[in-house]
Amino acid sequence: MRRYLNHPLTGPAVATLIVALIVLSTTDRFLTAGNLSNLALQVSIVAIVAIGSTLVIFVGGIDLSPGSMIALLTMLLGSMLKFWGVEFWVAVVLTLIIGAVLGGINGFVTAYLRIPAFITTLAGLSAYRGLAFMFNNGSPIFDASDRLEPLFYGHVLGMPLPLVYVVLSFTAAHWLMRHMRLGREIYAVGGNANAAYLSGLKVRRTQLLAFAIAGFMAAVGAVLMAARLNSGSPNYGTGLELQAIAAAVIGGASLAGGRGDVVATLFGALTITIVQNGLNLNAIQTSTQNVVIGVIIVLAVGIDMWRDEIGRLQFLARLRWPARRAPSKEEEYP
C-alpha cells in the first residue's frame, strides 16, 4: 500500500481527481459529452508543450519561451502555406525543424554562453513574439490551408487525433527518460551538474538537447494550434508557457532539477485544463481566471519547496527518534 502511495503518479492523479470533483460540484455541465470532448481537445496542446517544459526542468533549467515560439511558428506556417506556396507536408516538417532549432538556440546560449536559462528564455519570450508580429504586418493569417483542420479534428479508430498525439508523445517521452541514455543523462545533469561532469557526461550537450526537444514539442503544439483554428496569429500561445510550467510542477517535477516523472505531467496538464474549464462553465471572467492560474502556480511551486522541507524534517525526526525495535522473545518472556 505504501508503495502505491509513494508512487510519483499518485499525488498528481489525486490532485486531478479532487479538482474534477470540485468542478463537478459547481456545475452539471462538466460531465456532458460535448464538454468532455472539448476538454480533451483543450488539454492536448498544453500537455504536449508541457513535455518539453518538463524536460528542461529535469535538466535544471526553466523555459519561458514556448508561448511566444508558438506564435512565431504559427505565423511562419501560415505564411508558408498561404503566401509562399510551400507544399503542405514540407511546411509542417520545416515548422517542426525550426522549432527544434529555436529551442536549440535557447540551449546553446544557456549551456555554452553560461547565461541563466531564466534570462535566456525571458529574452526568447520577447524576441519570438516580436518576430511573430513582423509577418503579414502583424495581422493574423486566416484560412491558411484546407488541409490543416483535419490534423486536429480528424479521428483514428474513433479516437480524436489530438489524443492520439498526446498518447504517442508521452509514450515517446517516457521511453526517452526511462530507457535511453539521454534520459538518464538529463536526470544526472539536473540532479548535480558538477558530479555529472566529473562522471564524464557532456553536461552542456545534454542541456542543449533538452532545450531542443522543448522547442520541437512547442512546434508540435504550434502545428496543432494552427490546425485547430486554420490560422496563424502573433497572439497565439499567450500564457501557455506558464501553464506548461505549472503542469510540470503539479506533476511533481522539482524546480531544483533531476527529479520527477514525465508521465505525471499529463495529470498536471489535466488539472490546469479542468480548472480553466470549470471557470469557463461558471462564467468566471478571464481576469479572475488569470488570478486563479497564478495562485495555482504559486501553490504548486510552494508544494515543491515544502516537500523538500517536510522530507528534511522527517529525516531529522528519524535520526532523533529511531524506530523502536521489536522485542525479542527472550525480552518479551524472560
Side-chain angles (χ1 to χ4, degrees):
M1 184 65 181
R2 178 176 295 181
R3 186 181 65 176
Y4 292 109
L5 291 176
N6 291 332
H7 195 279
L9 297 183
T10 302
V14 171
T16 303
L17 180 61
I18 291 174
V19 169
L21 291 175
I22 292 174
V23 173
L24 182 61
S25 67
T26 62
T27 175
D28 55 359
R29 292 181 293 168
F30 179 66
L31 285 183
T32 60
N35 184 61
L36 291 179
S37 175
N38 182 49
L39 189 66
L41 297 180
Q42 284 182 340
V43 77
S44 59
I45 296 177
V46 177
I48 288 174
V49 175
I51 291 175
S53 299
T54 303
L55 264 58
V56 172
I57 290 175
F58 283 169
V59 85
I62 194 79
D63 190 357
L64 300 175
S65 67
S68 297
M69 197 181 295
I70 284 175
L72 172 59
L73 292 173
T74 60
M75 291 297 289
L76 189 60
L77 178 61
S79 297
M80 285 191 286
L81 293 175
K82 187 164 184 175
F83 303 133
W84 301 345
V86 180
E87 200 277 331
F88 179 77
W89 285 111
V90 173
V92 171
V93 171
L94 282 176
T95 301
L96 298 178
I97 293 174
I98 292 172
V101 171
L102 293 177
I105 292 173
N106 287 341
F108 179 83
V109 174
T110 300
Y112 289 92
L113 302 186
R114 300 179 181 178
I115 296 177
F118 177 83
I119 301 300
T120 301
T121 57
L122 184 62
L125 181 148
S126 175
Y128 297 148
R129 183 76 63 184
L131 288 172
F133 276 98
M134 293 181 182
F135 288 85
N136 199 32
N137 295 320
S139 299
I141 302 172
F142 297 109
D143 300 324
S145 171
D146 294 337
R147 299 174 66 183
L148 264 179
E149 288 184 320
L151 286 181
F152 190 83
Y153 294 102
H155 291 75
V156 172
L157 300 175
M159 181 183 294
L161 274 178
L163 289 186
V164 175
Y165 304 144
V166 169
V167 171
L168 293 177
S169 299
F170 275 92
T171 302
H174 176 75
W175 183 263
L176 168 69
M177 299 307 297
R178 294 295 180 186
H179 302 288
M180 293 185 67
R181 179 185 176 90
L182 177 60
R184 293 191 291 272
E185 289 179 348
I186 287 174
Y187 277 122
V189 171
N192 190 322
N194 291 330
Y197 176 76
L198 293 174
S199 300
L201 300 183
K202 297 180 179 178
V203 173
R204 293 175 180 175
R205 189 199 65 172
T206 303
Q207 292 171 332
L208 187 150
L209 289 176
F211 276 95
I213 294 172
F216 178 82
M217 300 312 298
V220 175
V223 172
L224 291 182
M225 188 166 288
R228 181 182 184 184
L229 301 170
N230 192 16
S231 62
S233 171
N235 294 312
Y236 285 169
T238 302
L240 189 57
E241 60 278 347
L242 296 182
Q243 295 179 24
I245 293 172
V249 177
I250 292 173
S254 172
L255 290 176
R259 191 174 63 194
D261 190 317
V262 68
V263 177
T265 296
L266 178 58
F267 290 104
L270 272 171
T271 302
I272 290 290
T273 308
I274 290 173
V275 169
Q276 283 190 318
N277 182 255
L279 295 173
N280 285 326
L281 291 177
N282 286 284
I284 304 298
Q285 295 181 347
T286 304
S287 56
T288 306
Q289 293 186 26
N290 293 334
V291 173
V292 172
I293 297 298
V295 170
I296 290 175
I297 293 173
V298 170
L299 286 176
V301 175
I303 289 172
D304 176 49
M305 304 301 293
W306 301 331
R307 181 173 51 194
D308 291 340
E309 293 295 328
I310 293 172
R312 190 176 297 113
L313 291 175
Q314 288 178 337
F315 177 73
L316 293 175
R318 284 197 296 270
L319 289 179
R320 184 170 300 177
W321 295 290
R324 180 173 295 177
R325 179 174 59 85
S328 63
K329 290 185 177 180
E330 291 75 11
E331 293 173 337
E332 192 171 2
Y333 304 106

